[in-house]
Amino acid sequence: MPQKSKLEIDIEEFRQMEQVKEELDRQLALINHTEHVELPELEKDLQNIKGLFKGKAVVKQPDLNQRESV
């Protein structure tokens, strides 16, 4: 009968990886909050701001690439 292989775990490495996972989970939660809560609010605010300037002409600045080629 073959012997069972032992799983050798480095506890210090495991704890470090666990901390990395927790930090990534926190960052993911912040990203999700930003995408699903803050971004839609900012887009709504932007639409309201655009409405204030509908009658005014917007002056375009020349493209940087065009300036360099001249």
Side-chain angles (χ1 to χ4, degrees), residues 1-26:
M1 184 180 278
Q3 292 183 5
K4 290 185 178 179
S5 61
K6 286 188 174 183
L7 179 62
E8 300 210 9
I9 299 174
D10 183 4
I11 297 299
E12 185 176 329
E13 183 180 3
F14 176 79
R15 288 186 180 143
Q16 288 175 349
M17 295 301 287
E18 192 173 42
Q19 289 174 352
V20 168
K21 183 189 178 301
E22 289 172 359
E23 179 63 26
L24 289 174
D25 287 342
R26 279 193 293 273

Side-chain angles (χ1 to χ4, degrees), residues 49-61:
I49 291 171
K50 283 183 180 178
L52 293 174
F53 298 103
K54 278 188 178 179
K56 298 184 180 183
V58 177
V59 177
K60 278 187 149 184
Q61 294 183 352

Side-chain angles (χ1 to χ4, degrees), residues 27-40:
Q27 290 177 3
L28 179 62
L30 286 172
I31 290 169
N32 284 335
H33 179 265
T34 302
E35 285 181 345
H36 295 101
V37 176
E38 293 180 20
L39 186 61

